[in-house]
Amino acid sequence: MKKKNLIVVYGVITNMRGTVTIKEKKTIRSGAVTFLDVLGWKGIWKNNNSSEKDLFSLIKEIKYFSRGSDTDVKSISDTIVIFTPEGNMNSQEILEHHGYICMEAIKKSIKKEIPLRGATAYGEFSVKENIFVGPAIDEVAAWHELTSWIGVIMTPSAFFEIDSNLKLENWMIYSPPIKGKMKWDTYCVNWPSIWSNKANEHEKIRELKNNFKIMGPFLPEYADKYINTLKFFKKHLEKEGNN
């Protein structure tokens, strides 16, 4: 059953003397929220004169990929936020839609040398211009910077929303590299499936490595992100070969 939108009204009722009061409405909606940000943005914008232009172009492309739905895309600095409330799509369709947007976004971001990582949560949220609040916002904000790779994961709220008997097209089960000691198999955006049209898996890997090499040098404090991403990429190829 779909959750109904809740309207929360707050303010002060005018008194008998006609005191002017302000009433505001806050719409609480249920749906998917994705946070994406650029890995190493501080170093990128300092060393790449076209980084801001490339990021602006990427945001425009993400908006294009979200067309035809009730999806809203906003950005603050290098953080891109994607919202899709419940409506014409059910929760699993919405999460597949976010998976599609993120697959395209990650592929484009690597090509533009501004690689993305992030997370997708599901629950209640409210958006007013660039102010976001709600349980889904709190959850996705806490998770989206915890992974050490290029990719997007489902947080627990989104993971629990998926029917265990359903096979998703745009996500794959994987244990992502999460900072700390936590190990967890969750749905991760299957961007390797659209990475390359090359038939040979070795050529696909070589193409990805060549894109990574452009982003060097790889200092110890963040080289693991690229190594972890390559492991995920190879895992996709392994699963693809077994199908």
Side-chain angles (χ1 to χ4, degrees):
M1 181 180 294
K2 293 182 178 178
K3 299 174 184 176
K4 296 181 180 178
N5 293 343
L6 304 175
I7 306 298
V8 179
V9 181
Y10 57 96
V12 180
I13 300 175
T14 55
N15 61 26
M16 295 299 290
R17 297 180 181 178
T19 303
V20 177
T21 60
I22 298 174
K23 291 185 179 181
E24 296 186 36
K25 292 183 179 180
K26 182 167 61 176
T27 303
I28 306 297
R29 312 182 78 175
S30 290
V33 182
T34 296
F35 274 28
L36 305 171
D37 63 19
V38 179
L39 280 173
W41 177 245
K42 289 181 180 180
I44 290 174
W45 74 260
K46 287 179 181 178
N47 300 323
N48 185 348
N49 293 331
S50 67
S51 59
E52 292 179 47
K53 179 181 177 182
D54 291 339
L55 180 57
F56 181 75
S57 171
L58 178 62
I59 294 168
K60 285 183 65 177
E61 290 182 280
I62 290 173
K63 290 179 178 179
Y64 175 78
F65 295 132
S66 67
R67 70 196 186 284
S69 65
D70 192 19
T71 298
D72 192 14
V73 180
K74 295 182 178 291
S75 61
I76 302 174
S77 184
D78 68 313
T79 300
I80 303 164
V81 189
I82 306 167
F83 307 92
T84 305
E86 291 177 350
N88 296 328
M89 296 185 288
N90 62 37
S91 60
Q92 299 191 23
E93 290 170 334
I94 291 172
L95 288 168
E96 279 281 53
H97 180 56
H98 274 235
Y100 163 72
I101 295 171
C102 291
M103 285 197 305
E104 294 288 355
I106 292 173
K107 177 182 175 181
K108 298 289 185 182
S109 75
I110 294 173
K111 300 288 187 181
K112 293 177 184 292
E113 301 173 35
I114 47 174
L116 297 173
R117 69 170 168 191
T120 298
Y122 202 92
E124 293 183 338
F125 61 87
S126 175
V127 181
K128 184 176 181 181
E129 297 181 1
N130 278 351
I131 300 175
F132 324 132
V133 298
I137 302 297
D138 293 344
E139 184 173 326
V140 75
W143 279 89
H144 83 287
E145 291 184 326
L146 287 183
T147 53
S148 184
W149 71 345
I150 300 167
V152 180
I153 68 169
M154 282 193 195
T155 70
S157 62
F159 180 82
F160 297 150
E161 196 71 27
I162 298 296
D163 186 335
S164 59
N165 296 321
L166 182 70
K167 183 177 180 180
L168 299 180
E169 293 183 7
N170 301 328
W171 303 80
M172 62 181 278
I173 289 289
Y174 186 75
S175 181
I178 299 175
K179 296 176 183 177
K181 297 181 179 180
M182 183 176 181
K183 296 292 182 182
W184 178 42
D185 289 348
T186 185
Y187 287 103
C188 302
V189 166
N190 191 12
W191 62 269
S193 65
I194 64 166
W195 170 253
S196 175
N197 292 325
K198 297 182 184 299
N200 187 293
E201 68 176 50
H202 297 293
E203 292 180 353
K204 293 180 180 180
I205 293 172
R206 186 183 303 114
E207 184 180 4
L208 181 63
K209 285 181 176 179
N210 287 338
N211 277 266
F212 284 174
K213 285 194 293 185
I214 299 171
M215 301 181 209
F218 301 101
L219 302 179
E221 55 265 32
Y222 62 85
D224 65 317
K225 296 177 176 64
Y226 295 90
I227 295 169
N228 291 334
T229 304
L230 187 58
K231 286 181 181 178
F232 175 67
F233 191 85
K234 290 180 177 179
K235 188 66 175 180
H236 157 76
L237 294 177
E238 180 184 315
K239 287 190 174 183
E240 191 178 55
N242 291 331
N243 289 337

